[in-house]
Amino acid sequence: MKLLSVVLPAYNEEQMIEETWKTLERILKKAEIPFELVFVNDGSSDHTWEKIETISRRDSQVTGVCFSRNFGKEAAIVAGLAHAKGEAVAVMDCDLQHPPETLIRMYQLWMQGYEVVEGVKKDRGKESFFHKECAGFFYRIMSKAAKVDMRNASDFKLLDQKAVESILQMPEKNLFFRAASSWIGYKTISVEFQVEERRAGESKWSAKSLVEYAFTNIVSFTTAPMQFVTVTGLLCFFFSLILGVYSLIQYFGGHAVAGYTTLLIVLLLIGSAIMMSLGIIGYYIAKIYEEVKQRPRYIVSKIIRKKKEDSDEGKNQRSV
Ligand code: UDP
Ligand code: MG
């Protein structure tokens, strides 16, 4: 059997670390799958790192990577991928909302030769109406951009080493893992799973962070909003052409009324279209600026890995 690495991004998950570790250990042992767990502490402000350290000392299959601050889930996933040594690497949330039993099914599919095994949500679990609608809108745009159906996509995936290398080779700092893993191609299959309820702790997403997340990822994956700017510009142009002709006819017909209302409307319309367009373009420029700075995606402050008989620390470690 080949080694499976499980990457677990963790942000303020002190209540979940131990339970997740125990559950995964029990299930994977029973299935006789050799595994390692890579916990990435994404700058938690609680005792997540201490918990990871404790279990890592007890269990040589546990590796801990600690960020110097909160860099976000995508960065934590990338760091986990970079530090994983398995021939297959799975990514899952460490709140056990992704059922570990599905992991076994994914591993079996990988053994059958699939290189990317995607976890697809059966339904989206308990979410508010507003959340559902916003997520729906976001995924429609993303699905168009990535040319795959992303409506029920999740970060629960199992990737072959080759696929992991391909993702790590992508130079952009603002990587959207869900879309990137389908963009790379490879022999892909999806597995349905039921989203479990979070057992402890709370969701890390506020409405503001979700909107930000959506904008960042749309911009990092598609230029469609820029085309929207062009289209709006064209529409405005045609509209003003019609109005222009109309007012000229009025003028020569001798009915040159003080078209104050029309003027105001047109002015407002064009003004707002321009401002909106500038905003969208500005957003892209900001993202380009971020990318050209070439800052690292994350900064690791500590790594903990219990050495086995012969230490393999540092060996095989992929750099990003
Ligand atoms: N997470 C992270 N960094 C963040 C936010 C979240 O590593 O800045 C992790 C979190 O610890 C969890 C996973 O991402 O393992 C999913 O987060 P959460 O459960 O809050 O999201 P939800 O399930 O509500 O979509
Ligand atoms: Mg969750």
Side-chain angles (χ1 to χ4, degrees), residues 82-134:
H83 288 90
K85 292 176 171 177
E87 283 177 74
V89 185
V91 175
M92 66 190 282
D93 286 1
C94 78
D95 52 8
L96 292 177
Q97 279 189 299
H98 296 156
E101 294 80 15
T102 313
L103 210 56
I104 316 274
R105 174 98 195 90
M106 289 176 150
Y107 185 81
Q108 285 161 351
L109 285 167
W110 172 71
M111 290 290 275
Q112 283 167 26
Y114 289 99
E115 288 150 326
V116 176
V117 187
E118 312 233 17
V120 178
K121 293 176 196 159
K122 248 193 203 133
D123 55 59
R124 298 190 51 96
K126 270 196 197 142
E127 277 172 351
S128 69
F129 174 76
F130 175 73
H131 188 137
K132 227 174 221 161
E133 285 308 304
C134 288

Side-chain angles (χ1 to χ4, degrees), residues 9-11 13 42 70 72-73 93-95 97 198 203-205:
Y11 176 54
E13 301 279 6
D42 185 11
N70 180 256
K73 188 181 176 187
D93 286 1
C94 78
D95 52 8
Q97 279 189 299
R198 184 181 253 283
S203 177
K204 308 296 174 304
W205 299 98

